[in-house]
Amino acid sequence: MNANILYIEDNEQNLYLVTFILKARGYGVLQAREGHDGIEMALRHKPDLILLDIQLPGMDGYAVARNLRSHPETTQTPILALTSYAMAGDREKAFEAGCTGYIVKPINPDTFLEEVEQHISKRRLPDGGAT
Ligand code: MN
């Protein structure tokens, strides 16, 4: 079975685009539109990777990442921060909060999958990770 990816994002256009790209590649995609739902879904479904928007209503992505890292179920799950913030220091803040990677929006559809797949276990990739 291919990897399942949880995407926590409040912007409908980004949700649509990223979900489309991931599903076309064969991934299962779970969606959450705010942090509390995202944490609940992560704990319940234990996705193989979490894509996390930083600018969310209410609880921001940094708080979501810190919370996820406090639960045994998600302490090891790869978390990729997705943010349009271009300010210096955001990358460091994302890593400090527990994120394992960082993708800048708007996403580049040509390189997005490659960036995501660097953080997914080879045996969970759609092509079986054959070398
Ligand atoms: Mn947002």
Side-chain angles (χ1 to χ4, degrees):
M1 197 178 120
N2 294 336
N4 284 308
I5 296 174
L6 170 62
Y7 185 25
I8 306 172
E9 166 69 79
D10 64 312
N11 180 283
E12 292 296 331
Q13 287 175 321
N14 290 333
L15 270 172
Y16 180 85
L17 176 62
V18 167
T19 300
F20 180 86
I21 291 172
L22 293 173
K23 283 191 171 175
R25 176 82 167 131
Y27 292 109
V29 181
L30 297 159
Q31 296 181 338
R33 285 170 171 76
E34 54 92 22
H36 295 96
D37 281 350
I39 291 164
E40 190 179 305
M41 291 181 82
L43 295 176
R44 192 186 317 144
H45 298 288
K46 301 180 185 66
D48 297 286
L49 180 131
I50 297 168
L51 293 171
L52 176 61
D53 180 28
I54 293 300
Q55 197 172 22
L56 291 167
M59 189 179 196
D60 72 15
Y62 303 119
V64 173
R66 279 192 294 271
N67 187 293
L68 288 168
R69 287 301 181 231
S70 73
H71 299 280
E73 296 94 328
T74 50
T75 191
Q76 301 287 339
T77 310
I79 301 173
L80 293 187
L82 238 78
T83 179
S84 52
Y85 289 171
M87 293 183 296
D90 280 351
R91 186 181 294 262
E92 287 71 20
K93 276 172 74 177
F95 286 123
E96 281 168 15
C99 294
T100 40
Y102 186 99
I103 294 175
V104 175
K105 292 192 286 193
I107 67 156
N108 179 345
D110 295 329
T111 59
F112 178 73
L113 277 173
E114 192 181 326
E115 292 179 87
V116 168
E117 290 182 344
Q118 288 174 0
H119 297 269
I120 297 178
S121 165
K122 273 208 186 322
R123 63 188 173 81
R124 306 285 287 163
L125 294 175
D127 62 4
T131 54

